[in-house]
Amino acid sequence: MRGKVTKRCHLPAITSPPPANASAMPFEYTTLLVAAIFSSSAIAFTLLTNWIGMRKERSLILSSIGLILLSLALALMSMRNGRYDTLTLSVPFSLLLVGLSFIHASIRVFLRKTNLWPSVILAASTIVLSITPYFIGLMGLGGIIINVTTALILALCAFEYFAARTDSRLTVLTVGSLYLLIAVSYLTTAGLLVMEGEWILYPVEDRWYDSANAIITLLGITGIGALTVTLQFSRASKSDLKAARTDPLTGVFNRRALFERFDAETAIPGQAVLVFDLDHFKQVNDRLGHAGGDSVLRGFGEILQQHFGDDAMIARIGGEEFCVVVDEHNSRQAGEMAEDLRLGFASLNLPGGRDGSAATVSIGLATAGPDESFESVLSRADAALYKAKRGGRNTVRMASVRAA
């Protein structure tokens, strides 16, 4: 008869004991664990440092917490010293799943999703599902399930990136692909464990796919960490650039943004330029104070955006002066849009002059002719605006068409 083989639990890549014959494996498992700990900790420190400088980016602190929990889980696994009881398995696994759920939450926050309940539910459900087998002695089944649940969270992280709409599309897709690659690695490990058919205890020897899984995870986490930092810096840079080009009071573009886009360019023939000036605005400030004047300016900025939408270039170019550039496809309707806006602004009944009348606006409009510069069109629109103001205000005046 064959002698009885002494067995103990064989766990997935993150929990497997060191191989009996180290020379048979390209990397010792404990070495991979230590490398993963250092990598995760370094990335966590980097993200935490960045968060200190960008407190509004909550995704950074969530990612840092997640990676710290992952590092702690890996450290506990490396200190088991051959123990495979319920406590030494369930605690690090729980930390692992909570850490991954924090990372999932950080991705949702980065993508401007405010509902974090999916991440909370994910953490609670996967922990219960994964560690229950350890409490009833099914160590092998627990090892399979922890691989599956880990793959599930990683796949959901990948899905969040794949479904994202952002300017940094290539980087986002690359990060999502790395998450998916690690998820496939864990799912493959689970499938190979199922094929071995040991549901309670596993032989001591290590498996080649354990180390392969650990290597893929280590490289994937390192790549994800580097690209995550890149995405954060890219967003911060775009945010700073947007702030430099945006009027902080009204939320529309500022004069700098307008002339960066159109300065020294030949205007497109048929392109319409509209210049707006709020009537008697000094009286508004004198009567209501600067806070009241700011409220009127914000209201006008909002109505400009409502009437012209995202297709037009809307900018505040002075204290109470605004400019809107409409493309040639909509220039024929520019006069009608200007008149509708004038009437709509007056109907808001925002406080105006000393007599308590509603705030009104004067508008000048010019259409670009052949080979005409933007500055020329703007100058003609400005001249039309002054005609509107001299003609009694609260009206729209159009500049004559420029000869070819």
Side-chain angles (χ1 to χ4, degrees):
M1 294 181 60
R2 296 175 58 188
K4 184 177 180 181
V5 178
T6 301
K7 297 182 178 183
R8 66 185 183 194
C9 62
H10 176 81
L11 303 167
I14 51 177
T15 64
S16 300
N21 183 7
S23 63
M25 305 295 295
F27 293 96
E28 188 182 25
Y29 188 76
T30 303
T31 303
L32 293 172
L33 273 183
V34 172
I37 293 170
F38 274 102
S39 177
S40 300
S41 300
I43 296 170
F45 177 78
T46 302
L47 295 177
L48 185 60
T49 303
N50 289 334
W51 174 74
I52 293 174
M54 298 184 288
R55 293 294 181 90
K56 64 180 181 179
E57 293 293 341
R58 291 190 303 137
S59 63
L60 290 172
I61 188 62
L62 290 174
S63 294
S64 299
I65 294 173
L67 288 168
I68 290 170
L69 291 174
L70 290 182
S71 299
L72 183 58
L74 294 174
L76 291 175
M77 292 173 192
S78 67
M79 295 186 294
R80 282 196 315 263
N81 294 324
R83 293 176 56 198
Y84 296 99
D85 54 78
T86 300
L87 182 63
T88 56
L89 296 176
S90 59
V91 172
F93 282 159
S94 297
L95 288 173
L96 171 72
L97 295 172
V98 172
L100 288 173
S101 298
F102 262 96
I103 291 173
H104 179 262
S106 75
I107 295 171
R108 291 182 63 83
V109 171
F110 177 77
L111 298 176
R112 307 303 191 199
K113 297 181 179 180
T114 57
N115 183 11
L116 299 184
W117 277 110
S119 302
V120 175
I121 295 172
L122 194 60
S125 59
T126 53
I127 288 173
V128 171
L129 183 63
S130 299
I131 69 174
T132 297
Y134 296 128
F135 284 90
I136 59 177
L138 297 176
M139 303 300 187
L141 179 60
I144 293 170
I145 293 177
I146 189 65
N147 274 285
V148 173
T149 52
T150 299
L152 172 64
I153 299 177
L154 291 167
L156 290 174
C157 290
F159 174 78
E160 294 286 356
Y161 277 114
F162 290 149
R165 295 181 179 179
T166 177
D167 294 336
S168 306
R169 190 63 180 163
L170 179 60
T171 305
V172 165
L173 289 177
T174 302
V175 175
S177 299
L178 288 174
Y179 273 113
L180 187 60
L181 174 64
I182 304 172
V184 170
S185 177
Y186 275 98
L187 196 60
T188 301
T189 300
L192 293 171
L193 291 171
V194 170
M195 290 175 61
E196 294 197 357
E198 296 282 357
W199 302 102
I200 300 177
L201 297 174
Y202 285 91
V204 172
E205 308 81 85
D206 202 2
R207 305 304 203 272
W208 62 268
Y209 47 79
D210 290 323
S211 291
N213 189 15
I215 293 171
I216 292 173
T217 302
L218 175 59
L219 296 177
I221 289 177
T222 303
I224 288 170
L227 291 174
T228 298
V229 173
T230 300
L231 285 172
Q232 291 289 352
F233 273 112
S234 175
R235 169 172 288 184
S237 176
K238 290 176 182 178
S239 178
D240 292 341
L241 182 60
K242 181 180 179 180
R245 294 176 173 176
T246 303
D247 174 51
L249 177 62
T250 61
V252 302
F253 288 107
N254 57 21
R255 186 181 186 89
R256 170 185 172 180
L258 177 70
F259 284 98
E260 279 183 351
R261 180 167 176 179
F262 294 107
D263 189 29
E265 289 186 11
T266 299
I268 300 173
Q271 194 173 52
V273 177
L274 301 92
V275 183
F276 305 81
D277 188 274
L278 300 186
D279 297 326
H280 302 296
F281 191 73
K282 185 178 183 301
Q283 295 180 13
V284 175
N285 277 332
D286 291 343
R287 177 169 174 255
L288 302 176
H290 288 289
D294 288 348
S295 177
V296 173
L297 289 171
R298 279 193 294 267
F300 186 68
E302 290 173 0
I303 198 171
L304 280 177
Q305 294 179 76
Q306 291 170 5
H307 273 71
F308 292 99
D310 296 332
D311 293 334
M313 175 70 174
I314 304 171
R316 181 185 176 194
I317 56 177
E320 65 271 19
E321 294 186 14
F322 293 79
C323 177
V324 174
V325 182
V326 181
D327 64 47
E328 70 277 14
H329 300 295
N330 297 318
S331 62
R332 293 183 180 179
Q333 292 80 36
E336 297 176 5
M337 294 170 71
E339 181 64 20
D340 289 343
L341 184 143
R342 183 189 68 80
L343 294 173
F345 182 63
S347 69
L348 292 177
N349 290 317
L350 296 174
R354 290 192 180 95
D355 58 356
S357 60
T360 59
V361 61
S362 299
I363 307 171
L365 187 158
T367 302
D371 300 321
E372 185 177 12
S373 69
F374 173 73
E375 288 186 356
S376 173
V377 186
L378 180 63
S379 178
R380 291 195 297 112
D382 205 42
L385 169 66
Y386 281 105
K387 288 182 180 180
K389 295 180 76 66
R390 287 196 300 269
R393 295 183 171 84
N394 191 25
T395 187
V396 179
R397 290 293 176 90
M398 298 183 65
S400 57
V401 177
R402 181 176 181 271

